[in-house]
Every structure is written in structure tokens, then in C-alpha cells.
């Protein structure tokens, strides 16, 4: 095998090692990180029974007029229990359907749901198309957490002629929740047609259109709603989420910025805005928002780690250093692992700026605070390897190798270290171990062959 091929193949190994170490250092690329925009979920509000005599599709029997007047007086006086006591003196068969429904409604208002259910069903057994009983029974099932039964009775009410917005809206909500967005769109549209300013129906229709991937219709609806209520943060967030579904980063960014301007306080949304700015190349604004997050919230190293990892990817090392410097007075608030992460990022930024001694100290501080941090071990080993401190680098790679999550990177790092030390037998052993444990690294076969040829050639010489 020619020396030219040997050098080329070993360069491939070096590239592979560097790439794996980079992935440990900064995580997935921005484009691979999910951008999460938190929008308000559709809200369901159950309208409880409040009326004394609701409009019904039935009337009391002639022989009940006197009792009806008496009951009305009791209800006007707020003596609901007395009404119930009088109705309870009769068997259901003795009462008209109207009185049965009244009895059910009183049970409902007193939250005696089992008795109310029986009375509603008794009324429906005698008059199956009684719209009000279907609608009330549906609401009862919502209150008792029986959504499928509620959906059935709301559907019955609509099919028998109910045309109240809250019935269409509640049916839409249940359809959306249990049967998918397409089953909800028409019902939400009907509810909005009856109550065009009701935010619940607007929000529900928007959710249904979005979930059905009808993005143009959803965007058109949002545009109409924003024209009426331009300061609604949730509408801007929905607009951003739909824009992301359409890969329109510019529209998403503009919408997220508007939500921030209007006062959105959700940290996840702020983080997503930072990520979008980094993807769009507006790095200065991203850094400004990172500083804003740090100033407004408690230090969260998990979030900060994501921020700094993204900035590492775009080589904004001076900004990383500035962000970390602004945090230095608050480092004492952190636990050992979080402090370790802080010094780890500081070491990376200093290393990128060729401040070698300071970077070395920062790496040492990170390891002292968290000796089992495999990420720090690998990056510090690579740092020392680059500066030909081979002995210490080897020790760090060996420590990382003992951790399952970092074994692959440590073996590859060690292999490259041994190659640079011209210790080909040790390099071969490390590569064989790596290939045996990670056969998906098919490029290692060529590297192993190259090193085997080098060893044979040296043995013959």
C-alpha cells in the first residue's frame, strides 16, 4: 500500500475523531434541534345549569299548571330543595316530560349527577327528540368526565335541531380531542358563525385547522383575528408555529419577536427565538436575547448549555466569553456539576481564542468540580493532545473510556493520539476495540488495514 494512501486514510480517521468530539462538545446542529413554540391549548369551559326555567321543547300538562305556578314561586324565593321535595312525591310516570326535565335540571344544579342522569333519561325515553334534555345530559357527562357519552348527546342535540353556539363548540372540542381535527372544523365554524367574537371557538378552529395541516386556512384565520386583536400574544405564537410548519423562518421570527414585544414571558419561547435567530444568521440579536434571558431568570445551566453550544457552532467565542463573564458574580449560586459546566464552556472559549494557559486552568477547574464529566474529559484530552501533552491526554481518554456513553469517542481519540505518537500497535488495538464494539463505523476497516500494513512494513525493515 502506498504512503500516499496511508496518509490519506489516517487523515480520514483524524476527521472522524474530530467530528465525533465536536458532537460531544456542542451537541446537535441547530437545524437538528427541535424548535418548540408553546401556544395556549384550546380551553373548554363547561356552562353549568343556572336557569330556573330554561326554554324547553315541551310544556307542562294542563293538570300541572297549578303545581308549576307554585314551583315557580319557590324557585323565585330560592327554595330549590323544596321544589325537589315536592317533585319527589310523584312517580316519574305521574309527571309530564316537562316536569321530569325540570326535576333533572334541579338535580343537576345541586350536583346530584346520578339522579339527574336518571331523570334526563326517563324524559328521553318518553320523548327521544327532546333537544334540551340531550344538550343538558351531554353537559352532565362532561362534568362527570365521560367525554364520549357527552359527544354522543351533543351530536344528538345538533341532529335534532339545536343551534346554540356552545353546543356546536363543545361538540367540536370533543371531536377534536377524540376523533381528529377534520371532524371538528365544521362544528367550530358553526359555533363561530353564531358567536364570531368568542375566543374559545376561534382558538378551537385554529387548533383544528393547524392539526389538519390546513396551514393556509389557519394563517388566513389568524390574519383576520389579529386585525381585530393585534395585541393577542397567543395569536402571534400560533402564527409563528404555523410558519415553522411551512419552513418560513422569517415569518416565524417576526411573529416570535412580536410576541416578545407584547410581553410573552415563556422561557421556552425565548430560547426558540434565539435558536431561530442563529439559524437565520442574526447572531447579534441572538446574543442580545441570551443576555436578556440571563438577566431576567435564575441561572439554568441546562438552558445556558444549549445557548453556548449553539454559539460555539458559529464561532462566536468572544460573545461566549462575555456571557460567561457577566455570570461570574453568580457562579457561587450553582452546584458542583453546574459550576463544572460553566468552567467547561469558559475553557472552550479561551481555547478557541488561543489563551492556552487560562483554558488549561478552566478545564482543570471543570474536572475538579465534576471528575466524572465525560464530556469535559474528552474535550480536555483533545485540548492536551493538540498541544502534544500526550501522557496526560492518554490518561484522560482512558478515564472517559470507562464511561459507556463516551467509550466510542475515547477509543477513537486514543487511536489518533497513538498514531501521532507513532505507536501504531497501540493505535491498532484501540481501533480494533472500537470496531468490535461499534461495527457501524465501517470506515474503521480501512484504517485498521492501513495500520496493519504499516506495522508489517516496520517489522520487515
Amino acid at each position: 500500500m502506498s504512503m500516499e494512501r496511508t496518509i490519506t486514510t489516517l487523515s480520514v480517521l483524524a476527521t472522524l475523531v474530530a467530528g465525533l468530539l465536536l458532537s460531544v462538545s456542542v451537541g446537535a446542529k441547530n437545524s437538528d434541534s427541535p424548535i418548540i413554540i408553546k401556544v395556549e391549548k384550546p380551553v373548554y369551559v363547561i356552562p353549568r345549569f343556572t336557569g330556573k326555567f330554561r326554554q324547553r321543547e315541551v310544556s307542562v300538562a294542563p293538570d300541572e299548571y297549578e303545581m308549576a305556578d307554585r314551583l315557580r314561586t319557590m324557585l323565585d324565593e330560592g327554595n330549590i330543595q323544596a321544589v325537589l321535595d315536592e317533585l319527589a312525591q310523584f312517580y316519574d310516570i305521574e309527571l309530564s316530560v316537562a316536569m321530569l326535565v325540570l326535576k333533572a335540571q334541579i338535580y343537576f344544579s345541586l350536583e346530584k349527577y346520578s339522579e339527574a342522569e336518571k331523570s334526563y333519561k326517563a324524559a328521553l325515553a318518553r320523548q327521544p327528540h327532546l333537544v334540551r334534555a340531550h344538550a343538558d345530559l351531554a353537559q352532565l357527562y362532561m362534568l362527570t368526565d365521560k367525554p364520549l357519552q357527552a359527544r354522543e348527546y351533543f351530536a344528538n342535540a345538533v341532529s335534532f335541531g339545536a343551534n346554540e353556539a356552545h353546543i356546536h363548540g363543545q361538540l367540536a372540542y370533543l371531536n377534536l380531542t377524540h376523533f381528529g381535527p377534520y371532524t371538528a372544523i365544521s362544528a367550530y365554524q358553526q359555533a363561530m358563525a353564531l358567536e364570531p367574537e368568542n375566543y374559545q371557538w376561534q382558538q378551537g378552529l385554529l387548533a383544528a385547522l393547524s392539526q389538519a395541516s390546513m396551514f393556509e386556512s389557519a394563517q388566513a384565520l389568524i390574519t383576520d383575528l389579529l386585525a381585530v386583536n393585534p395585541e393577542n400574544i397567543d395569536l402571534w405564537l400560533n402564527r409563528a408555529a404555523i410558519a415553522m410548519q411551512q419552513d418560513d423562518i422569517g415569518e416565524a421570527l417576526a411573529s416570535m419577536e412580536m410576541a416578545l414585544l407584547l410581553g410573552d414571558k415563556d422561557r421556552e419561547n425565548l430560547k426558540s427565538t434565539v435558536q431561530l435567530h442563529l439559524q437565520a444568521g442574526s447572531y447579534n440579536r441572538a446574543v442580545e436575547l441570551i443576555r436578556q434571558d440571563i438577566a431576567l431568570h435564575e441561572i439554568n445551566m441546562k438552558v445556558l448549555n444549549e445557548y453556548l453550544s449553539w454559539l460555539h457552532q458559529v464561532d462566536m467565542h468572544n460573545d461566549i466569553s462575555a456571557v460567561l463573564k457577566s455570570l461570574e458574580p453568580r457562579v457561587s449560586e450553582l452546584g458542583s456539576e453546574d459550576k463544572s459546566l460553566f468552567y467547561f464552556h469558559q475553557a472552550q472559549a479561551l481555547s478557541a481564542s488561543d489563551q492556552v494557559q487560562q483554558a488549561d486552568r478552566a478545564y482543570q477547574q471543570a474536572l475538579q468540580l465534576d471528575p466524572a464529566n465525560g464530556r469535559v474529559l474528552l474535550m480536555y484530552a483533545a485540548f492536551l493532545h493538540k498541544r502534544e501533552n500526550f501522557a496526560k491526554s492518554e490518561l484522560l481518554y482512558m478515564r472517559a473510556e470507562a464511561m459507556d456513553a463516551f467509550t466510542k469517542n475515547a477509543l477513537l481519540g486514543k487511536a489518533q493520539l497513538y498514531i501521532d505518537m507513532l505507536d501504531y500497535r497501540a493505535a491498532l488495538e484501540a481501533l480494533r476495540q472500537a470496531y468490535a464494539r461499534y461495527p457501524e463505523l465501517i470506515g474503521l476497516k480501512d484504517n485498521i488495514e492501513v495500520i496493519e500494513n504499516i506495522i508489517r512494513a516496520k517489522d520487515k525493515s
Side-chain angles (χ1 to χ4, degrees):
M1 182 175 294
S2 69
M3 184 57 67
E4 180 181 352
R5 182 186 170 191
T6 299
I7 294 171
T8 301
T9 309
L10 294 180
S11 296
V12 171
L13 174 61
T15 302
L16 176 62
V17 173
L20 286 168
L21 290 176
L22 180 63
S23 70
V24 172
S25 170
V26 299
K29 291 184 178 179
N30 291 336
S31 59
D32 296 331
S33 302
I35 294 178
I36 301 169
I37 299 172
K38 293 176 69 175
V39 298
E40 187 178 347
K41 292 181 180 179
V43 176
Y44 174 70
V45 178
I46 301 170
R48 292 173 178 260
F49 168 71
T50 54
K52 297 175 181 177
F53 279 91
R54 295 186 182 186
Q55 182 180 357
R56 299 187 292 272
E57 300 83 351
V58 288
S59 300
V60 296
D63 60 353
E64 293 176 328
Y65 287 163
E66 183 181 343
M67 180 172 67
D69 286 338
R70 187 167 61 255
L71 295 180
R72 182 180 294 109
T73 300
M74 293 179 188
L75 288 171
D76 288 342
E77 294 172 351
N79 199 350
I80 296 176
Q81 186 61 50
V83 175
L84 187 59
D85 290 341
E86 180 156 346
L87 290 173
Q89 296 175 21
F90 298 89
Y91 291 108
D92 286 351
I93 195 64
E94 297 179 273
L95 296 173
S96 67
V97 174
M99 284 298 181
L100 273 177
V101 171
L102 175 61
K103 184 179 179 181
Q105 289 175 338
I106 292 174
Y107 276 130
F108 195 171
S109 70
L110 294 174
E111 299 184 6
K112 297 183 177 183
Y113 299 132
S114 178
E115 293 89 341
E117 179 185 15
K118 290 176 185 176
S119 296
Y120 279 127
K121 286 190 171 180
L124 287 173
R126 289 163 59 182
Q127 192 165 334
H129 293 181
L130 191 56
V131 172
R132 177 55 51 200
H134 283 287
D136 286 356
L137 190 51
Q139 291 179 23
L140 184 151
Y141 283 133
M142 286 298 295
L143 283 170
T144 53
D145 197 24
K146 297 177 180 177
L148 293 180
Q149 291 96 318
R151 198 216 74 84
E152 176 187 352
Y153 281 92
F154 278 131
N156 289 344
V158 170
S159 67
F160 295 142
N163 197 32
E164 298 174 44
H166 76 90
I167 293 176
H168 288 286
Q170 291 168 141
L171 176 60
Y173 174 84
L174 292 167
N175 278 350
L176 178 65
T177 305
H178 296 280
F179 297 98
Y182 291 102
T183 66
I185 292 171
S186 177
Y188 271 130
Q189 288 174 328
Q190 185 63 38
M192 275 192 66
L194 294 167
E195 292 181 356
E197 295 182 357
N198 187 308
Y199 185 59
Q200 287 184 60
W201 315 146
Q202 298 169 359
Q203 189 184 43
L205 179 57
L206 183 56
L209 292 172
S210 299
Q211 290 180 34
S213 299
M214 299 173 66
F215 299 126
E216 290 187 6
S217 297
Q219 286 283 35
L221 175 60
I222 288 177
T223 299
D224 286 347
L225 297 177
L226 283 172
V228 177
N229 190 3
E231 296 186 0
N232 187 308
I233 292 173
D234 196 55
L235 288 176
W236 288 106
L237 293 174
N238 273 284
R239 189 183 188 203
I242 292 171
M244 286 302 303
Q245 291 286 339
Q246 298 175 296
D247 294 323
D248 188 345
I249 292 180
E251 176 79 4
L253 253 181
S255 299
M256 293 297 288
E257 284 284 6
M258 183 58 73
L260 290 177
L261 180 65
L262 291 170
D264 181 30
K265 302 297 184 184
D266 190 276
R267 196 173 196 182
E268 192 69 44
N269 288 340
L270 179 58
K271 189 174 75 171
S272 294
T273 308
V274 170
Q275 194 174 354
L276 284 169
H277 275 297
L278 290 171
Q279 287 190 11
S282 44
Y283 302 133
N284 291 336
R285 177 57 176 162
V287 172
E288 181 182 341
L289 290 176
I290 289 172
R291 292 185 173 184
Q292 179 179 321
D293 187 354
I294 292 170
L296 293 175
H297 301 100
E298 292 182 2
I299 300 176
N300 182 326
M301 285 306 298
K302 182 179 178 181
V303 173
L304 185 62
N305 179 54
E306 290 188 72
Y307 286 150
L308 299 180
S309 295
W310 295 338
L311 295 179
H312 277 300
Q313 292 178 65
V314 292
D315 297 325
M316 298 186 67
H317 305 297
N318 290 336
D319 289 289
I320 292 171
S321 295
V323 168
L324 292 171
K325 190 171 183 61
S326 69
L327 281 174
E328 279 184 343
R330 300 165 63 188
V331 170
S332 59
E333 303 170 16
L334 304 176
S336 295
E337 290 185 5
D338 284 343
K339 283 181 183 176
S340 174
L341 196 54
F342 174 89
Y343 287 116
F344 168 66
H345 281 293
Q346 187 179 70
Q348 286 189 291
L350 291 167
S351 176
S353 303
D354 290 325
Q355 299 180 63
V356 177
Q357 291 183 341
Q358 297 93 319
D360 191 277
R361 282 197 297 271
Y363 273 125
Q364 289 184 46
Q365 284 178 288
L367 273 184
Q368 287 170 2
L369 288 162
D370 188 6
N373 191 323
R375 211 172 151 210
V376 177
L377 286 168
L378 284 175
M379 292 307 298
Y380 190 22
F383 171 84
L384 294 170
H385 178 177
K386 183 177 179 181
R387 287 151 186 86
E388 299 186 354
N389 189 340
F390 295 139
K392 192 171 180 180
S393 177
E394 179 185 20
L395 179 61
L396 294 173
Y397 278 132
M398 292 174 68
R399 286 171 60 183
E401 185 183 347
M403 304 175 188
D404 289 341
F406 301 97
T407 301
K408 176 169 63 176
N409 300 61
L411 285 170
L412 294 173
K414 268 201 326 180
Q416 187 62 51
L417 175 71
Y418 292 141
I419 289 169
D420 293 344
M421 294 170 63
L422 305 181
D423 187 348
Y424 295 111
R425 292 187 187 279
L428 180 61
E429 178 61 23
L431 288 177
R432 283 174 173 170
Q433 288 181 41
Y435 188 58
R437 293 190 62 167
Y438 310 102
E440 69 274 12
L441 299 176
I442 55 176
L444 291 185
K445 289 181 68 175
D446 287 340
N447 290 285
I448 290 171
E449 182 182 344
V450 168
I451 294 176
E452 286 174 339
N453 289 338
I454 293 173
I455 293 172
R456 280 194 290 268
K458 287 176 68 68
D459 288 343
K460 289 179 182 178
S461 62

